[in-house]
Amino acid sequence: MSKRKQNEDIGEDESDEETPALVDVDFDFFGLNADADYHALNRLLIQLFGADSEALQTGKIADLVLSVADTGVGSTIKTDGEDSDPCAFLTVLSCDAHREDQSLRNLMEYILSKTSADPSFHSTLSSLLAPKMQVQDQAQPHVGLILCERLINMPVQVIPPMYRMLVEEIKDAIADGDSYEFSHYLFVSRVYRLTPEDEEAMAAVQRNSKRHKSSGSSELGRSHDGVYSFHPEDEEIMKVATHVLTYCHTNAPPRDAESVGLDVGGRVMLVPADRFEVLVRAIGETFAVS
């Protein structure tokens, strides 16, 4: 069932060969479709987890995501109807409800292994994920794992509506008695690293581009540590997160001066649930459609 429609203009209407022409695209928002979304969802998860995707068995993670599609939690973006491949997805999985699912257990063990580089993060997350003793009238920690990925050329402006819908979907699921009352949200994202030489080369290209000259901007947006987000919304998530960690993929091939392509890694961010709606509003304000 279609959730809503959004019209986006991608690119800028300039004659410069270096600048993409204006493209008008209608994005439809749908719920997760267990009958149609598996292959595209798996491809997006492979993109999200990069060199470690095979070891994490992303196909089984996709199965888990789609197994709870009937809760109404989670959405996709498509351009050619409900049975077409999603260009993006956003969902949240209950780490308690799926504790016995092997694919989720593998993924959480993987994330915990990465957070071992940050003892405070590792200790906090280990405690949150530990099996709980049910105590009457005492709230227990409950982590929601947020998975979000999209095709490379998707504009960030499609993300705020998905998060706004997720807030409402979680509320509806709680009202229906489903296990979505979280104390924390754990976000998984991806990054890339540039050497100082890479940064200077990209800055030179930007300085010489007609788009940059016409804007009159001198800010090249360089990172202080050479780490850059694939997902611009990560910058807002990190502002409210209690813990953030960027990590290297376990199975990434060694890099040297002859390596080609981006040096891609991962990022995990832990956000208390009482900051989630504030975060969603901030994402909406920062990446509103102009």
Side-chain angles (χ1 to χ4, degrees):
M1 179 181 297
S2 178
K3 295 191 174 188
R4 58 175 291 179
K5 183 185 290 284
Q6 181 165 322
N7 180 276
E8 290 287 348
D9 291 335
I10 306 175
E12 298 183 18
D13 191 10
E14 298 181 18
S15 59
D16 181 9
E17 290 181 356
E18 300 175 7
T19 305
L22 184 70
V23 178
D24 194 27
V25 180
D26 284 334
F27 294 120
D28 287 311
F29 295 78
F30 293 93
L32 293 162
N33 185 338
D35 296 325
D37 292 350
Y38 171 80
H39 293 291
L41 195 63
N42 186 36
R43 288 193 294 271
L44 289 170
L45 287 168
I46 289 171
Q47 178 176 286
L48 179 60
F49 292 108
D52 292 339
S53 60
E54 184 175 356
L56 290 171
Q57 297 182 300
T58 53
K60 292 184 178 180
I61 300 174
D63 280 332
L64 176 60
V65 169
L66 294 173
S67 73
V68 292
D70 59 355
T71 65
V73 175
S75 60
T76 62
I77 296 177
K78 302 181 178 182
T79 60
D80 196 24
E82 185 172 8
D83 292 329
S84 62
D85 286 345
C87 305
F89 82 97
L90 170 66
T91 194
V92 60
L93 293 172
S94 165
C95 291
D96 280 0
H98 304 295
R99 183 179 301 278
E100 300 307 316
D101 183 272
Q102 191 60 52
S103 66
L104 186 63
R105 291 181 67 174
N106 291 344
L107 178 54
M108 299 316 297
E109 288 172 3
Y110 169 83
I111 292 173
L112 281 170
S113 74
K114 296 302 182 184
T115 62
S116 63
D118 180 339
S120 176
F121 195 171
H122 184 76
S123 176
T124 299
L125 188 57
S126 296
S127 177
L128 291 173
L129 294 173
K132 289 92 177 171
M133 293 289 292
Q134 292 300 321
V135 179
Q136 188 174 4
D137 299 326
Q138 181 175 325
Q140 297 292 327
H142 185 190
V143 177
L145 176 66
I146 289 188
L147 298 174
C148 180
E149 187 56 293
R150 54 192 181 270
L151 297 181
I152 296 293
N153 59 349
M154 291 286 287
V156 67
Q157 285 77 15
V158 303
I159 294 300
M162 299 183 82
Y163 271 106
R164 288 194 293 269
M165 287 187 289
L166 185 64
V167 168
E168 298 307 316
E169 291 158 4
I170 289 171
K171 290 178 180 178
D172 290 343
I174 293 172
D176 291 340
D178 293 321
S179 182
Y180 285 91
E181 197 157 0
F182 302 114
S183 63
H184 296 76
Y185 291 94
L186 184 65
F187 295 76
V188 180
S189 190
R190 60 196 187 97
V191 301
Y192 61 96
R193 298 175 179 84
L194 297 177
T195 65
E197 293 77 16
D198 293 333
E199 289 180 320
E200 183 53 40
M202 293 184 71
V205 171
Q206 186 177 355
R207 282 193 297 266
N208 292 328
S209 72
K210 289 186 179 179
R211 181 186 298 179
H212 179 70
K213 290 177 180 177
S214 64
S215 71
S217 172
S218 59
E219 176 57 56
L220 299 177
R222 295 187 182 182
S223 164
H224 73 280
D225 57 1
V227 177
Y228 295 82
S229 303
F230 278 106
H231 297 167
E233 66 271 18
D234 282 6
E235 304 305 315
E236 298 303 317
I237 298 170
M238 289 190 287
K239 290 177 184 177
V240 299
T242 55
H243 297 279
V244 177
L245 178 72
T246 299
Y247 60 87
C248 298
H249 288 143
T250 304
N251 297 297
R255 294 185 66 86
D256 55 32
E258 303 302 317
S259 297
V260 296
L262 288 174
D263 181 10
V264 179
R267 174 184 284 149
V268 285
M269 300 163 282
L270 185 67
V271 174
D274 59 8
R275 303 180 188 179
F276 186 57
E277 291 194 32
V278 172
L279 167 62
V280 171
R281 287 196 294 272
I283 291 173
E285 292 166 1
T286 303
F287 302 110
V289 177
S290 58

